[in-house]
Amino acid sequence: MTASMPHAAGAAAAEDPPILQSGLHRSRTVTHGHAEPESEVATMKKTVMGIGPMLQSLNVMNEELRKRKDNLLRDKLVLEESIVTCNKEKDEDTTKLSEASESLKKLKTEHDDGKANAQKEIESLKQQILDRDKAICALVDTTKAEARKLCGLVIWYRIITHKCRKTRDCSLSSVLRVEQTLRILKTRPSLHTGFQADKLIHTTVRLPGIFSPRPRDFSLPNSSWSPKMMELYDHYNSQCDLETEDIESQKGPWIRLPSYNRILKYAKGGVYLSKIMQSKARLFTRNVYQVGASFEYVIFLNKEEKKCVCLFQAGHLLEGPPGHVHGGAIATMIDTVTGTHATFLSGLVVTANLNINYRNAIPLGSTVILESTLDHIEGRKTHINCKVTSADGSKVHTEATALFVSISVSHLMGM
Ligand SMILES: CCCCCCCC/C=C\CCCCCCCC(=O)SCCNC(=O)CCNC(=O)[C@H](O)C(C)(C)COP(=O)(O)OP(=O)(O)OC[C@H]1O[C@@H](n2cnc3c(N)ncnc32)[C@H](O)[C@@H]1OP(=O)(O)O
């Protein structure tokens, strides 16, 4: 029994708090050691008295721990709840994502289908354009005779109507002749390009008297031209061969280009162009009858040097900054001269790009020279340079580069 005592005491010591342990230990020692009992009791009492506050603090600690445990349990519950909510949201998001990717897939399919359809439409339109071009080429190239006949009829019709107007000949035979021509023209196969005999006749009939078969040539000198302008004109004009109907017979280096439609014949391929494009409209620069008021100019072409020179005198209608020429009017002249030049070099063209540097303002009424030179031709593109200088060449007013792109007749008709 005694042998097992220390073991039991040791086990109790392991479970009890340290102060309690030391008190018990001492009482055991006292019992076994036969020490003075009274003092030992007093010590024991003291020890027991000390245990009370210790137990109290232990209770407080215990309470705190319990509270912490409760809090942790509550937090755990909250976390569990939010995990459930998160999982729910995650599920919802996954569903939404799959729905979105589904609709995206649908949209993509629709887009691809639309694109394929558009591509098909583009192809078919391209084909239509090609067919239209082919039809025009067929007419222009293979049935020239037919087209010429058509043009001949138009011209004939114009002459008859003009004669009738002039002589006030309203006789039955004249009316019948006109009617008959009209009928023939209307039965001609019209191209799918807006180039319709009907329209042509309509335009011709309704043109006012000023558009006579002999239009005024605005490139000829008039009373508004300054002495400088006249001097320069004489200089270039003296180097021109006389203009004749047959361009092949013009042997001089310079040609003075008349202002009206007939100049188309000088363009590359223009002899035929001038026949199928019977427009009587003029460049807007030639639409002011009051001499000296707006664009007074003449263009000379040098076939050998492949360049153009334009003598230009700006009138008061072209005022921009006080006393000076408007930049747009200068741009117009540059476009006109380089455009004419490019037409001569490359046939039917349109301006694709025009870059202008205005260096010095041009005084109204002064004479300037626009010199247009070929930079290079690259496929459909004709690059032209242009310089505007004072009449004596001492001052550079403007410098420009222009790009012209060759177009087909059908492009022009469809523009
Ligand atoms: C001299 C003696 C002979 C006398 C003859 C006298 C006859 C007198 C008769 C008349 C005188 C004329 C005097 C007046 C002149 C006035 C002219 C005007 O004011 S014209 C109206 C304003 N211009 C337009 O309205 C064009 C509108 N634009 C178009 O129609 C097109 O955009 C066009 C034709 C320019 C191009 O279209 P696409 O589809 O046919 O060709 P894409 O492939 O786009 O271009 C072809 C090449 O050109 C380039 N290009 C096109 N536009 C460009 C740009 N703006 N800048 C740079 N490059 C461009 C491209 O990059 C392409 O080059 P890559 O073949 O690839 O090397």
Side-chain angles (χ1 to χ4, degrees):
M1 259 320 262
T2 41
S4 67
M5 278 305 284
H7 176 71
E15 283 167 11
D16 293 335
I19 298 173
L20 204 60
Q21 278 176 29
S22 68
L24 287 174
H25 177 70
R26 223 177 274 165
S27 77
R28 275 173 206 140
T29 319
V30 168
T31 318
H32 292 291
H34 306 283
E36 296 154 49
E38 274 174 26
S39 65
E40 293 233 345
V41 168
T43 320
M44 284 283 277
K45 267 185 187 170
K46 258 189 202 171
T47 313
V48 170
M49 297 270 278
I51 288 170
M54 270 168 40
L55 273 176
Q56 238 173 359
S57 76
L58 281 173
N59 277 341
V60 171
M61 272 171 66
N62 189 24
E63 189 60 27
E64 269 176 17
L65 283 171
R66 207 170 48 76
K67 267 187 198 163
R68 271 169 66 185
K69 188 185 157 198
D70 285 351
N71 284 344
L72 283 172
L73 274 175
R74 218 177 298 132
D75 287 353
K76 191 187 156 202
L77 275 177
V78 172
L79 280 174
E80 275 173 358
E81 255 173 43
S82 65
I83 284 173
V84 171
T85 320
C86 279
N87 279 340
K88 232 191 237 171
E89 280 175 7
K90 190 186 149 200
D91 287 349
E92 282 172 11
D93 285 351
T94 319
T95 321
K96 274 185 198 163
L97 190 74
S98 65
E99 279 173 10
S101 57
E102 198 63 38
S103 56
L104 196 73
K105 230 188 252 174
K106 232 188 221 173
L107 275 176
K108 212 174 160 236
T109 320
E110 280 173 18
H111 173 79
D112 286 347
D113 287 352
K115 205 174 142 188
N117 284 343
Q119 201 65 40
K120 256 187 219 163
E121 264 178 45
I122 289 171
E123 287 308 318
S124 102
L125 281 173
K126 270 187 185 168
Q127 192 55 45
Q128 279 176 34
I129 291 168
L130 207 69
D131 289 348
R132 198 180 67 170
D133 280 356
K134 270 186 197 160
I136 290 160
C137 288
L139 187 97
V140 170
D141 298 331
T142 57
T143 57
K144 272 183 186 169
E146 175 65 12
R148 279 208 191 98
K149 232 192 268 171
L150 177 64
C151 294
L153 278 167
V154 173
I155 294 162
W156 187 49
Y157 170 75
R158 204 175 288 139
I159 293 167
I160 299 167
T161 45
H162 176 70
K163 270 188 189 159
C164 290
R165 263 205 311 272
K166 220 171 166 187
T167 57
R168 296 183 191 282
D169 176 9
C170 299
S171 65
L172 188 63
S173 63
S174 303
V175 173
L176 279 177
R177 267 195 303 164
V178 170
E179 283 295 310
Q180 193 189 358
T181 319
L182 261 173
R183 256 204 312 282
I184 297 168
L185 282 171
K186 276 181 181 170
T187 55
R188 296 287 134 177
S190 58
L191 303 175
H192 305 289
T193 56
F195 177 70
Q196 290 168 352
D198 264 355
K199 278 189 190 167
L200 208 63
I201 296 158
H202 191 62
T203 321
T204 316
V205 170
R206 290 184 56 174
L207 282 170
I210 50 168
F211 295 101
S212 66
R214 281 186 179 278
R216 172 180 150 193
D217 186 350
F218 290 80
S219 71
L220 292 172
N222 63 52
S223 57
S224 77
W225 285 24
S226 68
K228 194 74 210 171
M229 184 89 169
M230 282 308 305
E231 185 188 321
L232 286 168
Y233 176 83
D234 289 340
H235 170 74
Y236 285 102
N237 202 41
S238 63
Q239 298 175 60
C240 288
D241 268 5
L242 276 181
E243 202 210 337
T244 64
E245 283 301 313
D246 177 11
I247 63 162
E248 293 308 319
S249 68
Q250 299 194 1
K251 298 282 188 281
W254 290 97
I255 301 169
R256 181 184 58 79
L257 296 175
S259 69
Y260 46 85
N261 216 11
R262 205 154 51 89
I263 58 166
L264 256 181
K265 75 178 183 188
Y266 296 114
K268 193 176 164 195
V271 174
Y272 192 67
L273 269 181
S274 65
K275 291 234 186 310
I276 61 169
M277 292 165 65
Q278 290 290 326
S279 165
K280 278 289 179 184
R282 293 180 304 255
L283 279 183
F284 77 96
T285 50
R286 299 302 199 184
N287 280 341
V288 177
Y289 270 76
Q290 188 189 349
V291 294
S294 63
F295 297 94
E296 289 294 344
Y297 67 94
V298 52
I299 300 175
F300 291 96
L301 161 76
N302 192 316
K303 282 198 284 181
E304 284 160 22
E305 292 178 33
K306 292 193 172 168
K307 71 174 191 181
C308 269
V309 159
C310 169
L311 315 175
F312 171 45
Q313 179 188 299
H316 66 275
L317 295 181
L318 305 185
E319 184 168 43
H324 292 84
V325 186
H326 192 283
I330 301 169
T332 296
M333 281 312 299
I334 292 171
D335 195 20
T336 302
V337 179
T338 53
T340 304
H341 191 188
T343 311
F344 160 69
L345 295 166
S346 305
L348 207 51
V349 293
V350 282
T351 320
N353 181 273
L354 189 59
N355 280 307
I356 301 179
N357 288 314
Y358 296 97
R359 305 277 183 216
N360 285 293
I362 301 175
L364 278 180
S366 69
T367 302
V368 290
I369 302 173
L370 288 89
E371 194 176 14
S372 173
T373 47
L374 172 67
D375 193 87
H376 66 284
I377 296 176
E378 181 193 352
R380 287 174 63 202
K381 296 186 286 185
T382 304
H383 294 263
I384 307 268
N385 298 325
C386 186
K387 202 177 195 182
V388 186
T389 56
S390 55
D392 60 3
S394 64
K395 190 180 252 182
V396 176
H397 289 290
T398 324
E399 283 170 316
T401 58
L403 166 65
F404 294 89
V405 173
S406 297
I407 54 164
S408 61
V409 178
S410 59
H411 183 100
L412 188 73
M413 301 294 189
M415 241 174 27

